[in-house]
Amino acid sequence: MSSHGIRDRVAIVGMGCTPFGEHWTRSADDLLVDAVGEAVTSAGITLDDIDAFWLGTQASGVSGLTLSRPLHLPYKPVTRLENMCATGSEALRNACYAVASGAYDVAMAVGVEKLKDSGMSGLSGTSMPGAGDDSRGEITAPANFSLLAPAYAAKYGLAEEELKDVITRIAWKNHVNGARNPRAQFRKEVPLERIRSAPIVAGMLGVFDCSGVSDGSAAAIVVRAEDAYKYTDKPIFVKALSFVAGPADGLLDPDYDFTTFPEVVVSAQEAYRQAGITDPRAELALAEVHDCFTPTELVLMEDLGFSERGQAWKDVTSGAFDLDGSLPVNPDGGLKAFGHPIGASGLRMMFEAWLQLRGEAPPERTVSTLAEGRSLALTHNLGGGPGECVSFVSVVGSELTD
Amino acid sequence: MPGLIAYGAYVPYHRLARADIAATLGTVASRGTRAVAGYDEDTTSMAVEAARSSLARDGLRTRIGQLFLATAAPAYLDKTNATAVHAALGLDPHVLAVDMAGSVRSGLGALVTAARSPVPTLTVLSDLRTGLPGGGEESAGGDGAAAFAFGGHRNGAPVIAELLAHDTVSDEILDRWRLPGAPASRVWEERFAEEIYVSLADKALSAALDQAGLDRDAVDHLIVSGLHARACATVRRTSGVRSEAATADLSAEIGNAGTAQPGLLLADVLDRAEPGRIIALVVLGDGAGVLLLRTTDALPAHRAARPVAAQIAAGGAPMPYATYLSWRGLLDREPPRRPDPEPPYAPPAHRRNSWKYGFVASRCEKCGTRHLPPDRVCVTCRSVDAMTDEPMEHVPGTVATFTVDRLAHTPSPPMLVVVVDYDGGGRFRCQLTDATEADAVIGARVEMTFRRTVTAAGVHNYFWKARPVRTGETEGTGA
């Protein structure tokens, strides 16, 4: 068995993304209608031109009716899917494969999540019956990802205070970027000291180390690559789509050391193989990664091959991943500043790649790597937690190879 | 000769200084501390801990034929609490497990019934004493449990203390009472019952000594237990046994654990008594009861792994009174803005009884990998349905990484969470209890303890947590 990439076989020709944030006056239906509307407008088509839909949401609806009902889609195939926080990326992956297979000419991927209506902090959870043995624990998401911090510090000989400085800088960078993004949930820069001294939520993580709980929706329209220029003169070509669900052995196996996501390593290597990338740090113009919590982004820099093992904290400190660094990471503000409505986040990441590669990002956050001639962007999205997660990596580019 | 074949006690880690009650409420201070069950403990979980301690020796668990749980603070009504203890111990399904619940005297009843029984019997005494804030019941009370296995006849296990005689007298007397659901007992004027109890104790002690053909001078250890402190003190002083035989009641250190108190005091004496000594256990409450025991040569080799004195010494620094109040439900705290905790669902909980209650994991027959929780497919070699049971309750481990969750639902925030790597393989993520944030560090040594994790929708959820290894020893590979 082997996987066969679909490099340059499909393209994204239209995208939409609502502002993310606390949409007290808007429902999930409203957000879907907005994102879908923006996407079809940007592609210069109508909903009637779309042959099939993949809708990603974790908890804001079940079945294809979640999309077809608010839009009153007339008898179209709509698949609702879920893969935790990688749900939006999964919707895109399935839409891309549907077009690449020849089954459909035009497909749409949509992601949505309405978290703020619950009145709760963080995820409101799913409605699955509990196992009854309490062995899956009531640990919260920030606590789960905070498990990375002491393990990373211990393995690479950092004092806790040093590591706190590193993750503080990651949050600071993403807030700087988000401040330049009108669609982001948090649009203010936050001083380092305020981040560092914020109330602690879990482990080493303060409130500013956590992504925003927000509402939002994003959508993408996918067509065959050869049709792309019919819709836009600046299509984004899909170079790689890679997704894995891990064996979930990290919480069973003492060999797992909580300083890496093996699922990310595997999915990234597969994506680089599909895209023909050998040096991601030098070849990519930007990366949108799953910074659900600041230690996650730190570890991802190593898992995605942007930094050597044990070196990411130095690269973070030196500004390598800043907007003007050698590889800008999360130029749109990331989950941290843009917000994290679960089902929408993967497509929101793609939306930033879409804007940047098309030269449509505002000048104040346009990555300088584009001027160097780089034309590839990576999006990375994961769900679960250390030791047991799903991971998605895509590579997209503004040019066809050859 | 029938008699005691095993015993064990459980004193919870937490302490409340009586002076802190007075400081908070502006009342007159009294001395000493009382033991306090953790926010994650109840009479059932403490009973499990005491029973585990008593049956830590190889082979004892398979000898037990019936199990009694005595308590005046049952975790459930209608539903049997002893079956949770039965499940946690992994006893044979045919072992009778029943509660003797409701009155403090049920502890005496369980002991006497076990001692008389032709079937090897484990009897567990467990109690959690609560009073209204500032009252004597709160201050004088204590929490704890003790377990005793009687048998020996046709049983093969060495008898560590022979049962020489016992006697009980029953008397309907309104000296203390509590309506179901009431937060605290009410007590009649103490001097009313004192004379009655002294007389009843004398009758029972005389009868037991007569049966055994002993006189009062023969008693080496006199234990007097009861919630009526004044009567107990008088009996201790006037019983006619040698004055040096009277033992301390531990109330200064851990308070009076009601139903469990005779058990805790007896365990404490067994922890140090020499062979061939006569122990008279006198229990007051709605009458009186006496058990006369003689320690055997087998006792020194078969004492409980965790002596009462060591558990008292290993107790934590006194907790704030406000924390005690909130643990007891007497001070409602604002919950986190999170979804309410889920109760266990009955069918999945029942399907996994051996894991949930017994902490029985699985081991791959092909490659030896341990799985917590038990799996059907091996995480290492992917073999399917090639697993054997792997009891993990006695296996200590080391903390691989940890966190302090300040957002999670817990009756005592913040929640401490550790990833434990067990000696000999296997990993599990669970809560750390009886600990402070300073105890949650990479490399810390931990052992497992049975707890009530949460009560949601009126359902108690029992499961295992890790706790720091404190007493120096860990229990041997048991049962």
Side-chain angles (χ1 to χ4, degrees):
Chain A
M1 287 195 295
S2 57
S3 75
H4 302 287
I6 57 166
R7 176 157 61 153
D8 289 337
R9 285 170 57 186
V10 303
I12 297 170
V13 296
M15 285 205 76
C17 182
T18 67
F20 282 13
E22 296 179 333
H23 289 296
W24 303 118
T25 63
R26 308 178 77 67
S27 65
D29 288 0
D30 294 329
L31 296 167
L32 282 173
V33 169
D34 289 354
V36 167
E38 187 182 4
V40 294
T41 301
S42 79
I45 60 173
T46 70
L47 276 177
D48 291 340
D49 298 318
I50 297 173
D51 302 315
F53 298 80
W54 275 263
L55 168 73
T57 188
Q58 177 174 270
S60 302
V62 292
S63 93
L65 292 173
T66 304
L67 184 70
S68 69
R69 187 187 288 121
L71 292 170
H72 295 301
L73 291 172
Y75 309 101
K76 302 273 186 161
V78 184
T79 301
R80 178 255 169 173
L81 53 77
E82 177 275 324
N83 235 328
M84 292 198 278
C85 298
T87 292
S89 292
E90 268 290 69
L92 177 72
R93 190 175 71 107
N94 282 270
C96 288
Y97 287 160
V99 172
S101 77
Y104 299 108
D105 295 332
V106 185
M108 175 174 265
V110 191
V112 71
E113 210 71 58
K114 191 82 182 72
L115 295 177
K116 296 301 296 188
D117 286 0
S118 75
M120 302 295 178
S121 302
L123 308 182
S124 49
T126 61
S127 55
M128 290 291 288
D133 59 19
D134 212 30
S135 68
R136 302 309 294 167
E138 270 76 39
I139 187 171
T140 61
N144 197 5
F145 284 90
S146 78
L147 292 168
L148 297 166
Y152 189 95
K155 182 169 183 180
Y156 298 117
L158 278 75
E160 281 204 4
E161 292 297 293
E162 285 180 288
L163 187 62
K164 180 75 177 174
D165 285 340
V166 172
I167 62 175
T168 295
R169 201 184 184 291
I170 289 171
W172 171 83
K173 175 206 61 157
N174 289 349
H175 277 291
V176 165
N177 297 352
R180 286 151 181 76
N181 191 336
R183 298 183 202 242
Q185 180 174 18
F186 303 112
R187 297 193 292 274
K188 280 186 184 158
E189 295 190 23
V190 186
L192 282 165
E193 190 43 42
R194 187 164 166 226
I195 296 170
R196 202 181 197 294
S197 60
I200 294 294
V201 173
M204 202 186 290
L205 309 187
V207 294
F208 283 105
D209 291 296
C210 307
S211 52
V213 178
S214 64
D215 307 324
S217 179
I221 295 167
V222 179
V223 301
R224 281 188 295 271
E226 58 264 37
D227 298 335
Y229 289 101
K230 291 185 205 166
Y231 298 92
T232 174
D233 54 3
K234 291 188 285 186
I236 302 299
F237 297 100
V238 174
K239 307 290 183 181
L241 296 167
S242 171
F243 178 83
V244 300
D249 57 4
L251 294 181
L252 301 171
D253 180 2
D255 286 343
Y256 173 65
D257 73 359
F258 288 88
T259 66
T260 176
F261 299 96
E263 298 88 345
V264 175
V265 175
V266 172
S267 57
Q269 286 171 350
E270 166 66 11
Y272 297 150
R273 185 185 68 78
Q274 291 177 14
I277 287 176
T278 55
D279 184 356
R281 172 87 169 256
E283 294 176 56
L284 295 169
L286 68 135
E288 283 287 326
V289 308
H290 197 87
D291 59 319
C292 51
F293 301 95
T294 50
T296 316
E297 180 166 323
L298 173 67
V299 166
L300 289 175
M301 296 303 96
E302 297 176 11
D303 288 340
L304 292 168
F306 302 164
S307 295
E308 297 295 319
R309 284 283 163 211
Q311 300 297 308
W313 66 277
K314 293 178 187 166
D315 291 340
V316 165
T317 305
S318 69
F321 307 121
D322 292 1
L323 216 47
D324 58 356
S326 57
L327 173 57
V329 171
N330 291 333
D332 68 355
L335 301 165
K336 172 77 272 266
F338 206 119
H340 184 24
I342 312 301
S345 282
L347 283 158
R348 179 273 300 166
M349 295 170 169
M350 187 56 70
F351 184 73
E352 180 67 4
W354 162 265
L355 291 180
Q356 292 277 2
L357 296 183
R358 286 159 56 96
E360 294 174 350
E364 61 271 23
R365 73 161 203 276
T366 295
V367 295
S368 55
T369 47
L370 292 166
E372 298 167 13
R374 300 195 208 176
S375 63
L376 297 173
L378 174 145
T379 71
H380 163 263
N381 206 196
L382 69 74
E388 41 178 46
C389 72
V390 298
S391 172
F392 169 90
V393 177
S394 84
V395 179
V396 295
S398 54
E399 295 167 7
L400 283 167
T401 311
D402 303 324
Chain B
M1 186 70 159
L4 200 58
I5 55 173
Y7 74 98
Y10 178 70
V11 180
Y13 173 70
H14 305 281
R15 301 286 179 272
L16 175 64
R18 296 184 177 108
D20 195 38
I21 303 174
T24 305
L25 299 178
T27 55
V28 178
S30 53
R31 280 194 291 272
T33 56
R34 59 159 289 173
V36 176
Y39 63 91
D40 54 0
E41 296 186 287
D42 61 17
T43 51
T44 298
S45 74
M46 290 193 295
V48 169
E49 290 295 302
R52 290 176 69 206
S53 177
S54 71
L55 300 184
R57 281 185 355 246
D58 283 340
L60 277 177
R61 288 190 188 186
T62 56
R63 292 198 166 93
I64 299 303
Q66 55 186 6
L67 162 67
F68 301 137
L69 171 59
T71 180
Y76 285 118
L77 300 174
D78 286 1
K79 178 179 164 22
T80 302
N81 300 287
T83 47
V85 181
H86 175 277
L89 296 173
L91 298 181
D92 185 274
H94 295 284
V95 169
L96 172 69
V98 290
D99 295 345
M100 293 189 177
S103 74
V104 169
R105 186 171 153 93
S106 66
L108 171 71
L111 280 172
V112 170
T113 307
R116 285 174 172 173
S117 176
V119 178
T121 301
L122 177 67
T123 188
V124 192
L125 283 50
S126 185
D127 212 349
L128 193 147
R129 305 298 304 171
T130 303
L132 288 172
E137 295 285 298
E138 173 187 72
S139 175
D143 306 329
F148 300 88
F150 286 90
H153 33 283
R154 305 190 306 277
N155 187 255
V159 168
I160 59 176
E162 298 165 328
L163 179 69
L164 300 178
H166 68 270
D167 188 64
T168 58
V169 290
S170 300
D171 193 10
E172 171 57 20
I173 170 172
L174 189 66
D175 67 321
R176 73 166 42 241
W177 64 96
R178 182 197 303 220
L179 290 173
S185 299
R186 298 183 64 183
V187 183
W188 203 273
E189 186 181 7
E190 275 209 302
R191 284 188 306 283
F192 151 66
E194 183 184 353
E195 273 182 40
I196 300 171
Y197 276 128
V198 171
S199 159
L200 295 172
D202 189 63
K203 276 185 195 158
L205 185 59
S206 295
L209 287 167
D210 286 350
Q211 283 177 48
L214 297 169
D215 61 30
R216 297 192 181 219
D217 275 347
V219 174
D220 297 297
H221 300 277
L222 173 69
I223 302 165
V224 185
S225 173
L227 283 173
H228 199 303
R230 195 182 171 95
C232 288
T234 306
V235 170
R236 210 175 282 119
R237 198 175 60 246
T238 64
S239 64
V241 304
R242 289 177 279 128
S243 59
E244 67 270 22
T247 60
D249 66 2
L250 305 179
S251 62
E253 295 88 0
I254 57 173
N256 185 327
T259 312
Q261 198 209 15
L264 285 163
L265 298 182
L266 177 56
D268 179 50
V269 167
L270 291 167
D271 285 339
R272 50 195 163 76
E274 291 172 15
R277 296 295 192 267
I278 305 290
I279 301 170
L281 174 63
V282 180
V283 184
L284 306 184
D286 305 312
V290 171
L291 270 76
L292 275 183
L293 299 161
R294 180 165 56 214
T295 58
T296 72
D297 292 341
L299 175 62
H302 297 98
R303 296 194 208 270
R306 293 168 192 264
V308 173
Q311 295 187 61
I312 292 173
M319 62 199 296
Y321 180 52
T323 302
Y324 164 85
L325 289 176
S326 80
W327 286 6
R328 287 296 163 100
L330 296 166
L331 184 66
D332 262 349
R333 289 184 58 173
E334 175 85 5
R337 200 168 289 280
R338 302 280 303 174
D340 285 338
E342 273 188 294
Y345 289 71
H350 187 255
R351 285 197 293 272
R352 305 243 280 183
N353 264 352
S354 74
W355 165 245
K356 179 174 168 56
Y357 288 92
F359 209 57
V360 176
S362 69
R363 184 191 282 273
C364 177
E365 293 164 358
K366 299 290 196 308
C367 74
T369 301
R370 274 178 177 160
H371 297 74
L372 295 86
D375 265 347
R376 290 184 61 193
V377 179
C378 175
V379 70
T380 301
C381 72
R382 318 286 183 225
S383 298
V384 181
D385 290 338
M387 295 279 181
T388 50
D389 286 351
E390 182 79 356
M392 293 295 294
E393 59 156 310
H394 292 291
V395 182
T398 303
V399 172
T401 189
F402 64 92
T403 188
V404 180
D405 194 335
R406 297 177 194 282
L407 209 51
H409 259 290
T410 163
S412 189
M415 181 189 287
L416 306 177
V417 176
V418 290
V419 176
V420 179
D421 289 344
Y422 292 92
D423 294 2
R427 164 177 283 186
F428 188 62
R429 187 182 76 194
C430 61
Q431 290 187 43
L432 183 71
T433 192
D434 295 352
T436 66
E437 291 176 41
D439 295 308
V441 290
I442 292 175
R445 294 287 289 164
V446 296
E447 59 193 3
M448 300 310 288
T449 177
F450 184 82
R451 299 294 164 125
R452 187 180 78 191
T453 60
V454 74
T455 298
V459 183
H460 304 312
N461 200 5
Y462 294 102
F463 195 63
W464 295 77
K465 295 184 180 182
R467 70 176 168 203
V469 173
R470 282 213 175 79
T471 46
E473 33 64 51
T474 54
E475 290 164 26
T477 51

